[in-house]
């Protein structure tokens, strides 16, 4: 028998962050993987970030995780999405070099003290006296541990579908984890069958890029990390094309051969990332759908055909792809497929991501019902931090909905549960003006520093950054325009009435004026390297203050704690509400108020009962 403080099952994006966190926080950690060659593998699209997801990556970085650092080192194209819109919905996105990302992630993990990567398959979890104790491996080895984090991705009971062909797999041609699902069932966990899919990968030299719209990266590259690398990126373009009437005709003609529509697939698929067959069924009047050609690596000829995920037979994939402009002679290197896998019901978890019933057992990633690398990594980092904090007898890190998108996601999972794969959107947050990706460092780096994942030098530089911003807002933004700007500004912007714009702040508040436009006219000594943060603070000051007032109101409900063993058999609560409360076991009234079906009247009854008991 081998002993580790922490065992992490699965070395996908959740497992990598979880294992790194517990090891970095001083605990001997085993990161268990079915195949050492695919640690940190991108199973689907070759990209990190995007709307809401990019926010999560910045949050991971601010907490001291790895994802931002690895994509910054290995990305082959970087863009800032929604640049023409407000900062709350702007987001960084990077095309990844899938080969180099995986290699750099493994290198980072292998260089982490206390972290041991082991190739084996977890078959059974042993629980003694309500606490996790051991993991039985397929090799016959047994690992004893105090904390266990399960992050199996699509490998738990994974099954692949291509037309009428099916076979067990966690990813194409990779063996799944089968007996572990039975072990979780035996421990009392409710398993849910979900489904996702991926498109074909095609040969670069069989694509006619001249028929497509080219999309280049931004210069300079908008990196994710607070400590960006000093590298010059030779950015590789992506390309945009579209499906057409002929494409749709072929798919409709063969739709009965799709595993999704033939009845073979029973799992529930992601609403916001449907297969091309599903898109055509749901939107029959759409004349075309976008198709993005994305390079998978600098070092391979594979391109990812984003937008046409499928479970149709390979010959049909060839037929419809060759109707798309620029893909008339395309050659498929790997066919698209659908995959079913098991998730647990996340209502069985605490906000710390620890099981409510089994002490020391944590879950992170797709096993909690989410989809996406970033969502998985965010959960993995929090699960790892909390497992390590529990070993130190410290309270868990629980991110509020006003603190981070990671906090919104985890609260949604453990409060509302899932009936389909969960994907993060900025619209899921009621405080999204407070959660722009630019300020993730200010919001979360104090937490990363307090748990030991952010070093003193980085933390102090963050403090200095915001001291400079605050000083600028106090001393420069309030300056009279005449003192701050030279006379040429109003010559170039003659439509602005000087008499109504007395200060730099009033000028910046105008919707048509940006800091970038003002910068060339600022007098010497008044420039700043943090123009986006300053502009956001000025333009959205009133809105931000309003959201802060809403946060303060919600804090009143958060202060009313609900004991774990609280008896919900209270006069006035309906049977349905009692059942919902008993299933979720909310930690406070604020969480209780977010449970679907729990009415404001029920919250009032709970409030009176709980405050009466305290008195």
């Amino acid at each position: 028998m081998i002993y580790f403080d922490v065992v992490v099952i699965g070395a996908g994006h959740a497992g990598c962050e979880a294992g790194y966190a517990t090891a970095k926080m001083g605990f001997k950690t085993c990161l268990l993987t079915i195949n050492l060659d695919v640690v940190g593998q991108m199973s689907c699209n070759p990209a990190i970030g995007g709307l809401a997801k990019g926010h999560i990556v910045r949050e991971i970085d601010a907490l001291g995780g790895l994802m931002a650092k690895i994509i910054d080192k290995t990305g082959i194209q970087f863009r800032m999405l929604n640049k023409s819109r407000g900062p709350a919905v702007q987001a960084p996105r990077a095309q990844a070099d899938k080969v180099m990302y995986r290699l750099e992630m493994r290198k980072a993990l292998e260089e982490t003290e206390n972290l041991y990567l082991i190739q084996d398959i977890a078959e059974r979890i042993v629980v003694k006296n309500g606490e996790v104790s051991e993991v039985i491996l397929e090799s016959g080895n047994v690992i004893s541990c105090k904390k266990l984090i399960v992050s199996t991705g699509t490998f738990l009971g994974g099954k692949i579908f291509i037309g009428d062909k099916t076979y067990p797999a966690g990813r194409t041609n990779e063996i799944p984890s089968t007996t572990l699902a039975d072990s979780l069932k035996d421990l009392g966990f409710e398993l849910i069958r979900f489904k996702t899919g991926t498109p074909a990968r095609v040969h670069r030299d069989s694509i006619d890029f001249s028929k497509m719209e080219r999309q280049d990266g931004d210069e300079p590259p908008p990196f994710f990390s607070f400590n960006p690398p000093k590298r010059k990126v030779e950015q590789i373009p992506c390309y945009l094309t579209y499906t057409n009437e002929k494409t749709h005709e072929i798919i409709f003609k063969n739709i009965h051969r799709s595993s999704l529509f033939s009845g073979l697939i029973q799992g529930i698929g992601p609403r916001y990332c449907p297969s091309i067959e599903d898109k055509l069924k749901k939107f029959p009047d759409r004349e075309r759908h976008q198709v993005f050609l994305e390079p998978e690596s600098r070092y391979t000829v594979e391109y990812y055909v984003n937008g046409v995920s499928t479970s149709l037979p390979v010959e049909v994939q060839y037929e419809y792809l060759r109707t798309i402009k620029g893909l008339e002679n395309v050659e498929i290197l790997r066919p698209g497929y659908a995959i079913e896998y098991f998730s647990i019901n996340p209502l069985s978890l605490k906000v710390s991501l620890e099981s409510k019933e089994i002490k020391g057992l944590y879950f992170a990633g797709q096993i909690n019902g989410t989809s996406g690398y970033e969502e998985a990594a965010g959960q993995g980092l929090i699960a790892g931090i909390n497992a390590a904090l529990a070993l130190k007898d410290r309270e868990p890190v629980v991110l509020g909905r006003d603190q981070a998108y990671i906090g919104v996601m985890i609260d949604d999972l453990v409060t509302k549960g899932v009936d389909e794969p969960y994907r993060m959107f900025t619209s899921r947050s009621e405080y999204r003006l407070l959660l722009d990706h630019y300020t993730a460092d200010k919001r979360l780096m104090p937490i990363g520093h307090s748990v030991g994942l952010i070093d003193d030098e980085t933390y102090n530089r963050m403090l200095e950054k915001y001291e400079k911003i605050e000083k600028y807002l106090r001393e420069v933004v309030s300056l009279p325009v005449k003192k701050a700007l030279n006379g040429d500004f109003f010559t170039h912007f003659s439509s602005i009435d000087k008499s109504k714009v007395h200060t730099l702040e009033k000028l910046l508040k105008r919707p048509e004026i940006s800091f970038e436009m003002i910068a060339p006219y600022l007098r010497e000594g008044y420039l700043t390297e943090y123009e986006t943060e300053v502009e956001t603070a000025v333009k959205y000051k009133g809105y931000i203050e309003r959201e802060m007032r809403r946060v303060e109101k919600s804090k009143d409900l958060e202060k009313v704690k609900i004991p774990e063993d609280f008896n919900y058999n209270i006069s006035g609560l309906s049977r349905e509400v009692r059942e919902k409360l008993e299933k979720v076991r909310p930690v406070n009234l604020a969480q209780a108020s977010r449970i679907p079906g729990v009415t404001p009247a029920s919250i009032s009854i709970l409030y009176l009962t709980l405050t009466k008991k305290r008195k």
Side-chain angles (χ1 to χ4, degrees):
M1 183 183 290
I2 314 170
Y3 172 78
F4 285 93
D5 296 310
V6 182
V7 173
V8 180
I9 299 175
H13 301 284
C16 289
E17 297 290 350
Y20 174 77
T22 55
K24 195 80 174 172
M25 290 172 70
F27 295 99
K28 186 181 178 185
T29 302
C30 167
L31 182 54
L32 196 65
T33 176
I34 289 175
N35 185 351
L36 277 170
D37 293 330
V38 288
V39 169
Q41 173 78 331
M42 292 182 170
S43 309
C44 198
N45 63 310
I48 293 290
L51 303 182
K53 292 169 178 282
H55 293 71
I56 290 176
V57 180
R58 285 264 166 94
E59 291 173 358
I60 290 167
D61 184 66
L63 288 166
L66 284 174
M67 180 173 268
K69 297 176 180 65
I70 304 301
I71 189 60
D72 281 357
K73 277 187 178 181
T74 61
I76 54 181
Q77 189 197 94
F78 295 84
R79 293 177 67 201
M80 186 64 70
L81 305 184
N82 281 348
K83 282 189 290 186
S84 62
R85 299 180 64 189
V89 291
Q90 292 176 13
R93 184 181 189 271
Q95 287 301 136
D97 187 316
K98 287 174 75 167
V99 174
M100 294 310 299
Y101 186 94
R102 171 169 50 82
L103 293 175
E104 280 292 335
M105 179 61 80
R106 180 170 174 179
K107 180 172 179 281
L109 295 173
E110 289 181 336
E111 290 175 351
T112 301
E113 192 178 350
N114 301 316
L115 185 58
Y116 301 83
L117 277 68
I118 295 178
Q119 181 172 300
D120 211 327
I121 298 176
E123 287 199 328
R124 190 158 60 88
I125 297 167
V126 178
V127 174
K128 294 178 181 176
N129 301 318
E131 190 167 353
V132 73
S133 172
E134 297 166 359
V135 183
I136 311 296
L137 306 182
E138 186 183 62
S139 64
N141 214 338
V142 178
I143 301 179
S144 172
C145 61
K146 291 180 181 176
K147 305 293 175 188
L148 174 65
I149 302 169
V150 182
S151 54
T152 47
T154 59
F155 280 74
L156 194 68
K159 188 177 184 182
I160 278 179
F161 300 81
I162 306 174
D164 61 356
K165 301 187 185 306
T166 69
Y167 59 93
R171 278 190 293 254
T172 183
N173 299 320
E174 293 184 48
I175 57 175
S177 172
T178 51
T179 56
L180 187 61
D182 294 329
S183 178
L184 289 171
K185 280 182 190 174
D186 292 342
L187 291 172
F189 289 96
E190 177 192 348
L191 298 187
I192 307 166
R193 197 75 171 155
F194 278 163
K195 166 258 174 190
T196 189
T198 189
R201 274 67 159 180
V202 301
H203 198 296
R204 178 188 60 209
D205 298 342
S206 68
I207 304 168
D208 187 349
F209 294 114
S210 68
K211 295 181 178 180
M212 301 178 180
E213 298 173 32
R214 176 170 168 147
Q215 294 194 329
D216 291 301
D218 293 342
E219 291 292 350
F223 291 121
F224 287 87
S225 180
F226 185 80
N227 294 313
K230 293 177 180 175
R231 65 179 286 234
K232 179 158 178 60
V233 185
E234 186 185 335
Q235 302 203 56
I236 300 176
C238 297
Y239 293 86
L240 173 64
T241 184
Y242 298 89
T243 62
N244 54 57
E245 190 177 322
K246 182 66 176 173
T247 317
H248 299 179
E249 182 185 317
I250 290 167
I251 293 169
F252 271 124
K253 185 176 72 176
N254 291 280
I255 205 161
H256 62 285
R257 302 178 67 191
S258 163
S259 307
L260 183 62
F261 292 98
S262 68
L264 285 175
I265 291 177
Q266 302 299 312
I268 302 164
R271 179 193 304 254
Y272 303 103
C273 191
S275 66
I276 186 63
E277 305 98 281
D278 210 13
K279 284 182 189 176
L280 297 191
K281 274 284 188 179
K282 288 176 177 172
F283 309 104
D285 298 329
R286 287 281 295 272
E287 293 181 358
R288 64 179 192 173
H289 292 275
Q290 289 185 333
V291 180
F292 288 94
L293 276 294
E294 301 175 337
E296 296 232 328
S297 173
R298 291 186 190 281
Y299 307 104
T300 73
V301 295
E302 283 187 83
Y303 268 69
Y304 180 89
V305 192
N306 196 339
V308 286
S309 169
T310 187
S311 62
L312 284 161
V314 179
E315 64 271 23
V316 180
Q317 294 184 41
Y318 263 110
E319 192 179 356
Y320 80 69
L321 283 175
R322 287 179 172 175
T323 65
I324 297 171
K325 188 181 280 191
L327 299 180
E328 293 87 351
N329 299 302
V330 78
E331 294 295 337
I332 293 176
L333 297 176
R334 308 182 201 226
Y337 62 85
I339 183 167
E340 276 188 348
Y341 56 94
F342 282 121
S343 296
I344 65 159
N345 186 340
L347 292 178
S348 61
L349 303 180
K350 301 176 183 178
V351 285
S352 63
L353 296 180
E354 183 181 23
S355 163
K356 290 175 180 173
E357 303 299 330
I358 300 171
K359 189 177 178 183
L361 179 58
Y362 296 77
F363 293 83
Q366 274 187 278
I367 195 167
N368 288 342
T370 59
S371 67
Y373 310 143
E374 302 83 358
E375 289 92 336
Q379 292 171 70
L381 183 58
I382 293 299
I385 288 171
N386 286 336
L389 289 175
L391 287 168
K392 295 181 178 184
D393 292 320
R394 287 174 59 184
E395 288 296 307
V397 164
V398 177
L399 299 178
R401 296 180 70 90
D402 59 313
Q403 275 184 295
Y405 278 101
I406 296 173
V408 173
M409 170 179 61
I410 292 174
D411 183 69
D412 281 350
L413 292 173
V414 304
T415 303
K416 301 174 183 176
V418 289
D419 53 16
E420 62 184 40
Y422 178 99
R423 181 178 176 181
M424 178 49 70
F425 296 100
T426 55
S427 58
R428 291 193 188 273
S429 171
E430 60 272 46
Y431 305 119
R432 63 183 183 178
L433 271 181
L434 304 181
L435 303 183
D436 69 79
H437 68 87
Y438 296 103
T439 58
D441 50 3
K442 181 181 181 181
R443 288 181 275 114
L444 300 176
M445 212 173 267
I447 297 171
H449 183 252
S450 72
V451 300
L453 294 179
I454 294 289
D455 61 72
D456 291 342
E457 182 188 348
T458 301
Y459 181 63
N460 288 331
R461 280 200 299 110
M462 183 276 293
L463 294 178
E464 288 169 13
K465 169 185 171 180
Y466 285 97
E467 282 173 12
K468 288 179 182 177
I469 291 170
E470 288 302 319
K471 185 178 179 183
Y472 196 93
L473 289 169
R474 277 194 319 271
E475 298 179 6
V476 179
V477 168
S478 59
L479 284 173
V481 167
K482 289 180 180 178
K483 185 174 181 181
L485 301 176
N486 65 46
D488 288 345
F489 178 82
F490 288 104
T491 304
H492 289 86
F493 295 90
S494 55
S495 61
I496 298 174
D497 187 348
K498 291 184 195 179
S499 64
K500 293 182 181 178
V501 183
H502 303 294
T503 64
L504 199 59
E505 182 177 18
K506 287 200 171 182
L507 186 60
L508 268 175
K509 278 184 177 290
R510 297 179 69 93
E512 76 272 25
I513 299 295
S514 68
F515 198 100
E516 187 179 10
M517 294 161 69
I518 292 174
Y521 304 96
L522 281 168
R523 295 189 187 279
E524 192 175 345
Y526 292 148
L527 278 170
T528 175
E529 59 191 304
Y530 304 117
E531 60 181 51
T532 303
E533 289 89 338
V534 167
E535 184 179 333
T536 301
V538 172
K539 282 190 184 298
Y540 296 92
K541 183 180 179 182
Y543 299 104
I544 292 169
E545 287 175 350
R546 186 173 66 187
E547 287 207 348
M548 289 302 298
R549 288 194 294 270
R550 288 173 55 217
V551 169
E552 288 307 310
K553 282 186 179 179
S554 72
K555 296 288 183 192
D556 292 338
L557 287 179
E558 286 184 14
K559 289 173 186 173
V560 183
K561 306 295 182 185
I562 305 176
E564 278 190 34
D565 58 352
F566 185 74
N567 184 358
Y568 289 101
N569 190 21
I570 303 168
S571 175
L573 290 184
S574 69
R575 183 175 177 179
E576 179 190 359
V577 167
R578 285 178 198 166
E579 287 174 355
K580 289 177 181 291
L581 290 165
E582 284 167 358
K583 191 166 188 177
V584 175
R585 289 271 159 199
V587 296
N588 55 44
L589 274 189
Q591 187 186 1
S593 70
R594 293 191 291 270
I595 299 172
V598 175
T599 62
S602 302
I603 296 300
S604 296
I605 292 167
L606 279 173
Y607 176 81
L608 290 171
T609 306
L610 289 161
T611 52
K612 187 177 180 182
K613 285 195 173 191
R614 281 193 304 184
K615 290 173 184 175

